[in-house]
Amino acid sequence: MTTINDNYLKLKAGYLFPEIARRVNAFAHANPDAKLIRLGIGDVTEPLPEACRTAMIKAVEEMGDRATFKGYGPEQGYEWLREKIAAHDFQARGCEIEESEIFISDGSKCDTGNILDIFGSDNTIAVTDPVYPVYVDTNVMAGHTGPANEAGEFGGLVYLPITAANNFTAEIPSQKVDLIYLCFPNNPTGAVATKEHLKAWVNYAKAHGSIIFFDAAYEAFISDPEIPHSIYEIEGARDCAIEFRSFSKNAGFTGTRCALTVVPKTLTAKASDNSDVELWKLWNRRQSTKFNGVSYIVQRGAEAVYSPEGQAQTKALVSFYMENAKIIREKLESAGLQVFGGVNAPYVWVKTPEGLSSWDFFDQLLQKVNVVGTPGSGFGASGEGYFRISAFNSRENVEEAMRRITS
């Protein structure tokens, strides 16, 4: 008899966002005339930058000519794209990252899960709470956890609460952990990490031989010049951190799919015989075996982000969404709600009105004003009593949603 991976049975009935979709679809079916405004899932709404579209169109035309047609590309990504990423995103900020240490992929969501392929099953894993659910669920799927308790916390994981009391930044654990997930600007709370905070984490990781998984998917939304965009701006991070980035939010590639992971060649971990192994080699082997690379057309579009036109257009996109975030913050504050985030990140983290749980507030907004957000409890036990609202939508929808909520 064929068997399954029983670890999947440990997962809750549904991933957070499909559960939101289920409730919304049920409401829409029962109320076909309701005009829903969706500020839940962090999907972008504005068109791809013109520079990216132009580059993609040209690439499509190249695919129609035998002389310029491209078949399988390098699994790690085309060198011309990796060179621009290294120069613009890292070297320009003083980070010692070379193009050979960059791997192009179809999404940082995929990479933060797939990276577990190269690590052992006996590592102690730390996640923040609340947390982007993919970090937890992929570890459950890989068999790195025990079952969940009533609060939804899985045995075998070390949870690091991020709350208003600690400015939504993870406190250094008192015990030794091996793998550490950090996301800044943070999803879902919108918090950022200072250089001092990241330096403390780097020092901890180096002292304990730990590896930091640093998700910088929202770095483009940082406006404060004192806030680091990359963990590699911190001295010593090359020896203890892997960084994940994406073109999804800054350039609108959620439907186009292009991202990157940085694995420094100086980064090592222990084999079962206690020898040091270069993680770059393992990740390169994993990608070469399980991944055929991002399409040539999409990579040409991503390359255009680094042209003068692309830089101006992506900055305009970021500014547009951050103006949405400002509107959300100000309107909700004027309505007497306590809000966090929305300054260096496109998410606003809202304290639910007294007496309402996260899902109660979700249902209330859905039923009464037809606005969809994300219940904080779906991100972890410490997210209970909070609610995430995304700035990714049209200006018209954001203003209308705020009018409905505040009235």
Side-chain angles (χ1 to χ4, degrees), residues 303-324:
E303 180 193 29
V305 167
Y306 299 100
S307 67
E309 299 81 7
Q311 288 287 283
Q313 291 160 17
T314 52
K315 286 178 181 177
L317 266 182
V318 168
S319 295
F320 173 83
Y321 291 125
M322 289 311 298
E323 181 63 26
N324 281 352

Side-chain angles (χ1 to χ4, degrees), residues 111-125 139 142-144 178-181 209-213 239-244 261-264 267-272 277-280 282-283 286:
D111 284 357
T112 55
N114 293 333
I115 197 69
L116 295 174
D117 283 3
I118 67 172
F119 289 95
S121 58
D122 56 350
N123 289 303
T124 302
I125 299 159
N139 273 288
H144 296 166
D178 302 302
L179 300 176
I180 305 153
Y181 288 85
S210 311
I211 301 294
I212 297 171
F213 295 154
D239 301 324
C240 64
I242 293 172
E243 183 164 306
F244 307 91
T261 291
V262 181
V263 184
L267 195 57
T268 64
K270 295 291 185 182
S272 58
V277 178
E278 294 179 24
L279 293 178
W280 184 95
L282 298 185
W283 184 241
R286 189 269 174 205

Side-chain angles (χ1 to χ4, degrees), residues 142-159:
H144 296 166
T145 75
N149 61 22
E150 292 183 358
E153 298 171 331
F154 286 92
L157 295 182
V158 175
Y159 288 86

Side-chain angles (χ1 to χ4, degrees), residues 192-214:
V192 291
T194 64
K195 288 183 179 179
E196 292 74 20
H197 185 69
L198 292 183
K199 179 60 176 174
W201 272 110
V202 168
N203 289 344
Y204 171 90
K206 293 188 70 174
H208 292 88
S210 311
I211 301 294
I212 297 171
F213 295 154
F214 191 74

Side-chain angles (χ1 to χ4, degrees), residues 5-177:
N5 178 354
D6 279 347
N7 293 303
Y8 278 72
L9 302 180
K10 299 176 190 174
L11 296 169
K12 294 181 181 180
Y15 178 52
L16 170 63
F17 299 112
E19 172 59 19
I20 290 173
R22 186 192 68 78
R23 295 193 186 202
V24 171
N25 291 338
F27 174 83
H29 180 75
N31 302 272
D33 295 329
K35 295 181 179 179
L36 288 169
I37 298 178
R38 303 170 189 264
L39 299 176
I41 296 176
D43 195 2
V44 296
T45 58
E46 304 309 295
L48 286 171
E50 182 181 359
C52 299
R53 300 196 308 268
T54 300
M56 288 178 179
I57 291 169
K58 181 181 177 183
V60 169
E61 292 172 346
E62 290 178 30
M63 299 295 274
D65 186 330
R66 183 184 296 274
T68 53
F69 172 79
K70 299 290 189 299
Y72 288 124
E75 291 92 347
Q76 193 178 348
Y78 285 99
E79 187 174 3
W80 36 261
L81 174 56
R82 292 185 284 114
E83 285 177 344
K84 287 185 171 59
I85 292 169
H88 287 261
D89 292 343
F90 296 101
Q91 294 165 7
R93 293 190 172 278
C95 306
E96 297 179 2
I97 298 297
E98 301 299 325
E99 59 82 17
S100 62
E101 298 173 312
I102 296 169
F103 293 79
I104 307 300
S105 76
D106 58 350
S108 55
K109 174 181 178 179
C110 305
D111 284 357
T112 55
N114 293 333
I115 197 69
L116 295 174
D117 283 3
I118 67 172
F119 289 95
S121 58
D122 56 350
N123 289 303
T124 302
I125 299 159
V127 297
T128 60
D129 177 16
V131 65
Y132 181 43
V134 171
Y135 307 157
V136 172
D137 288 357
T138 52
N139 273 288
V140 175
M141 294 171 180
H144 296 166
T145 75
N149 61 22
E150 292 183 358
E153 298 171 331
F154 286 92
L157 295 182
V158 175
Y159 288 86
L160 308 173
I162 53 176
T163 65
N166 60 19
N167 295 317
F168 299 102
T169 55
E171 295 181 3
I172 306 296
S174 56
Q175 72 269 48
K176 178 184 181 298
V177 296

Side-chain angles (χ1 to χ4, degrees), residues 293-361:
V294 175
S295 80
Y296 171 74
I297 297 165
V298 169
Q299 290 193 62
R300 280 299 187 192
E303 180 193 29
V305 167
Y306 299 100
S307 67
E309 299 81 7
Q311 288 287 283
Q313 291 160 17
T314 52
K315 286 178 181 177
L317 266 182
V318 168
S319 295
F320 173 83
Y321 291 125
M322 289 311 298
E323 181 63 26
N324 281 352
K326 180 181 178 183
I327 292 169
I328 295 168
R329 270 187 66 96
E330 292 179 350
K331 292 297 183 182
L332 295 181
E333 284 179 335
S334 70
L337 291 170
Q338 187 177 14
V339 300
F340 305 90
V343 176
N344 291 290
Y347 295 121
V348 177
W349 191 238
V350 186
K351 188 77 177 71
T352 60
E354 187 174 355
L356 288 181
S357 71
S358 297
W359 279 107
D360 286 342
F361 194 50

